[in-house]
Amino acid sequence: EPEVTQTPSHQVTQMGQEVILRCVPISNHLYFYWYRQILGQKVEFLVSFYNNEISEKSEIFDDQFSVERPDGSNFTLKIRSTKLEDSAMYFCASSETAGDSYNEQFFGPGTRLTVL
Amino acid sequence: DAKTTQPNSMESNEEEPVHLPCNHSTISGTDYIHWYRQLPSQGPEYVIHGLTSNVNNRMASLAIAEDRKSSTLILHRATLRDAAVYYCILRDGGAQKLVFGQGTRLTINP
């Protein structure tokens, strides 16, 4: 069964450093998402991406964040200058369609980001 | 985003049915009711969704009240693997993002 994969599973970085989280969505999917979950809190939407551009983003997704689909398979989330409060589990998701009744999003296993 | 209310936690026994309630009194006519679950240390996973009629799939059933102000996710025969946080999410048919609440933490006793 096709699945979303994410690398690395755990990333430790120093405050102020740049990190890139990587995701490989399901191959025939067209819509891509990033969510995050701070330990013990809700899963929060960050951004959605379609046709090589951001289609929606949340207030969390400020200028420190960016997303890119550098090739036909990878989808990345970059945090330019990490802060302590960026420590969280980051989930990538993809869906075949969006904006209709059936929009099952498939989530990856997550990358745990720890900012020291 | 329309709000849902779920109990913080529920407990059930293995091989028994589980009914997980969700209240959504401010649901709009274009909101679909989605259920996702998050197993320990994993990403969320789609369970089921519906609009007005009750729905069944291999994982669960979704019972939707006639006025659509509440719904119930039914696991017909819970297993230990069903222990997870279950999220009831309202999503407008035209929307992309999922808005998660706190969900219901389901514990299954052997």
Side-chain angles (χ1 to χ4, degrees):
Chain A
E1 188 173 322
E3 58 182 15
V4 176
T5 59
Q6 292 186 242
T7 54
S9 56
H10 191 190
Q11 173 96 44
V12 181
T13 189
Q14 295 291 326
M15 192 169 54
Q17 295 296 303
E18 174 184 286
V19 294
I20 297 175
L21 310 183
R22 291 183 167 80
C23 168
V24 178
I26 294 173
S27 62
N28 65 330
H29 285 186
L30 301 176
Y31 295 82
F32 314 111
Y33 314 84
W34 284 100
Y35 294 80
R36 79 172 187 190
Q37 186 173 31
I38 296 170
L39 188 63
Q41 297 189 24
K42 299 185 294 186
V43 177
E44 300 174 290
F45 168 79
L46 292 178
V47 67
S48 59
F49 190 85
Y50 168 71
N51 200 26
N52 279 321
E53 60 183 33
I54 290 173
S55 48
E56 189 174 1
K57 62 182 181 179
S58 71
E59 292 177 355
I60 302 168
F61 195 88
D62 61 21
D63 292 344
Q64 292 299 312
F65 291 87
S66 63
V67 289
E68 193 179 33
R69 189 152 161 83
D71 53 43
S73 58
N74 290 285
F75 180 51
T76 62
L77 174 69
K78 181 193 291 186
I79 309 174
R80 288 191 183 83
S81 177
T82 51
K83 298 178 271 205
L84 295 175
E85 54 265 38
D86 293 328
S87 294
M89 183 73 90
Y90 288 80
F91 294 107
C92 173
S94 68
S95 65
E96 195 171 348
T97 62
D100 55 21
S101 68
Y102 183 68
N103 173 26
E104 179 181 350
Q105 294 186 17
F106 292 79
F107 285 76
T111 292
R112 178 165 298 285
L113 176 65
T114 302
V115 182
L116 302 176
Chain B
D1 298 304
K3 189 174 169 58
T4 64
T5 304
Q6 300 178 253
N8 289 333
S9 62
M10 289 184 65
E11 201 168 324
S12 185
N13 298 318
E14 201 175 7
E15 299 188 4
E16 290 184 358
V18 180
H19 291 233
L20 295 161
C22 181
N23 286 319
H24 29 78
S25 58
T26 59
I27 191 170
S28 75
T30 55
D31 284 334
Y32 285 79
I33 303 159
H34 289 249
W35 285 80
Y36 279 72
R37 71 180 185 181
Q38 188 174 19
L39 302 173
S41 302
Q42 294 190 29
E45 172 187 38
Y46 169 83
V47 177
I48 200 166
H49 82 285
L51 181 63
T52 56
S53 304
N54 294 343
V55 185
N56 300 296
N57 67 19
R58 63 177 177 82
M59 288 180 72
S61 296
L62 177 60
I64 301 172
E66 202 169 325
D67 63 6
R68 300 208 327 124
K69 292 182 186 294
S70 66
S71 60
T72 302
L73 179 71
I74 303 165
L75 307 179
H76 293 286
R77 214 162 155 260
T79 69
L80 296 177
R81 199 195 168 273
D82 292 320
V85 179
Y86 286 78
Y87 301 99
C88 170
I89 299 170
L90 299 184
R91 195 174 65 84
D92 182 271
Q96 296 176 18
K97 68 182 180 186
L98 294 170
V99 179
F100 290 83
Q102 296 290 354
T104 296
R105 182 173 298 280
L106 177 65
T107 301
I108 304 296
N109 300 314

